[in-house]
Amino acid sequence: MDVVKANGAAIPVVGLGTWTLRGRECTELVEEAVAVGYRHFDTAQMYGNEAEVAEAVRRSGKRADIFITTKIQPENLAPRDVERTVKDSLSRMNLDHVDLLLIHWPNPRVALADTLGAMAKLKLAGATSHIGVSNFTVALIEEAVKVSPVPIVCNQIECHPFLDQTKVIEACAKRGIAVVAYSPIARGNAPANALLERIGKAHGKSAAQVCLRWLTQQGIVVIPRTSNKSRLKENLDISDFALSDAEMKEIAGLSRSKKRIVDWAWSPKWD
Ligand SMILES: NC(=O)c1ccc[n+]([C@@H]2O[C@H](COP(=O)([O-])OP(=O)(O)OC[C@H]3O[C@@H](n4cnc5c(N)ncnc54)[C@H](OP(=O)(O)O)[C@@H]3O)[C@@H](O)[C@H]2O)c1
């Protein structure tokens, strides 16, 4: 599988998002995903499915080839809590390390330098191969780069054609940080979009595939979620066609609708 390289990490360009997948449904879906070719899985302390994701990966016998990301909940960002809860995550997953450990959401009540310092210690101890952040704005990325003892490899952010993320994407690129797009098919809104459908028809692809390709063609990693085994392959099969410059521009024009999907009371002040 193609990878995006960033600050020493090689992140498979398509991963499976697993938010909402639980229990046996989650294990079976991840097993099927490995079988059809996925080598990257995105979980989090908050999702309550770290154990199931890891169990399916272990059963596949392909752990060494698979990239697993987990994320620390915002209330666990004090150094002692980082250490304790990541230990708990690894023990739930029955793994000695994850590939990427992220701050799930910034928490202004905890100094970023303290959290990143604790995460760097975990990296040096081998509990994670890389560290990164999620839902960071340009200002937070700049602060993180300044205070982190080890390189930040990614910023996982909401990213799809209906939201203009140019500023934060440029800030990440400047620092060699990969952008990992969450909600990359806009929570299922992209497949019904007429423009994406029309472009897809010209390439023999679905609107969802065009949407994902638009992101990966910009060097962005995508982690679409599906609970539907038959869609796993569709969301993975996006490397055998290319969008023209004109198509890329036309799709970028969809961001005029400015549709942010994920926004909470605790969100930072977005760019
Ligand atoms: N860091 C963060 O704060 C954060 C926030 C949100 C999400 N995430 C991560 O990003 C992942 C993906 O984001 P998301 O779950 O918000 O949204 P998404 O992947 O953009 O959309 C998922 C929705 O799209 C549908 N879908 C998937 N493939 C499809 C296809 N080919 N055609 C038509 N519909 C399709 C799914 O329905 P079916 O299940 O019926 O296929 C599901 O309802 C999450 O699972 C999570 O791992 C991270």
Side-chain angles (χ1 to χ4, degrees):
M1 165 165 323
D2 293 341
V3 295
V4 169
K5 292 196 173 158
N7 286 337
I11 310 174
V13 70
V14 181
L16 181 70
T18 67
W19 175 62
T20 76
L21 300 175
R22 298 283 181 280
R24 215 163 78 195
E25 185 200 14
C26 179
T27 318
E28 287 178 2
L29 203 93
V30 172
E31 276 187 285
E32 177 68 16
V34 176
V36 303
Y38 283 77
R39 293 294 178 268
H40 172 183
F41 295 93
D42 181 77
T43 179
Q45 292 176 345
M46 218 184 255
Y47 300 167
N49 63 11
E50 288 174 311
E52 287 80 2
V53 170
E55 168 67 11
V57 168
R58 205 175 23 263
R59 278 196 214 160
S60 75
K62 295 188 163 66
R63 167 67 184 111
D65 303 327
I66 291 175
F67 192 96
I68 301 180
T69 300
T70 197
K71 317 186 195 79
I72 310 167
Q73 281 181 215
E75 60 271 31
N76 295 338
L77 294 180
R80 243 186 301 157
D81 297 329
V82 167
E83 198 185 324
R84 176 180 55 80
T85 65
V86 172
K87 218 166 134 195
D88 289 348
S89 289
L90 288 175
S91 128
R92 267 193 295 279
M93 290 191 274
N94 196 7
L95 293 176
D96 60 358
H97 76 284
V98 288
D99 300 279
L100 180 56
L101 180 67
L102 304 182
I103 294 177
H104 202 151
W105 284 89
N107 178 349
R109 289 185 304 280
V110 183
L112 191 50
D114 291 350
T115 304
L116 290 168
M119 291 169 72
K121 274 193 196 150
L122 288 170
K123 174 178 154 67
L124 296 175
T128 183
S129 305
H130 304 285
I131 70 164
V133 297
S134 178
N135 295 300
F136 270 38
T137 57
V138 173
L140 285 165
I141 284 288
E142 288 305 320
E143 188 187 346
V145 167
K146 213 179 291 166
V147 301
S148 182
V150 298
I152 304 289
V153 307
C154 94
N155 185 19
Q156 186 181 120
I157 52 170
E158 179 176 338
C159 201
H160 48 71
F162 308 101
L163 181 68
D164 183 358
Q165 291 282 45
T166 314
K167 284 185 190 158
V168 66
I169 291 171
E170 280 175 3
C172 290
K174 209 167 81 189
R175 300 296 186 175
I177 294 172
V179 170
V180 175
Y182 75 65
S183 307
I185 50 173
R187 287 264 159 93
N189 286 318
N193 181 268
L195 172 67
L196 298 174
E197 243 175 38
R198 169 169 60 75
I199 293 176
K201 268 201 187 116
H203 292 275
K205 292 285 176 181
S206 69
Q209 289 173 311
V210 170
C211 183
L212 294 170
R213 176 72 201 187
W214 180 77
L215 291 163
T216 60
Q217 209 165 301
Q218 298 174 65
I220 293 173
V221 175
V222 295
I223 49 168
R225 164 179 59 95
T226 182
S227 53
N228 186 333
K229 285 186 185 171
S230 65
R231 284 180 175 155
L232 285 170
K233 206 163 161 10
E234 175 184 344
N235 293 348
L236 190 64
D237 282 350
I238 54 167
S239 58
D240 59 351
F241 75 112
L243 299 167
S244 68
D245 290 349
E247 288 169 333
M248 291 292 288
K249 252 193 220 140
E250 220 181 333
I251 297 169
L254 291 172
S255 70
R256 280 190 291 268
S257 64
K258 287 204 179 86
K259 246 191 227 154
R260 187 180 288 280
I261 298 166
V262 181
D263 206 3
W264 304 100
W266 62 78
S267 297
K269 192 173 174 306
W270 302 114
D271 297 299

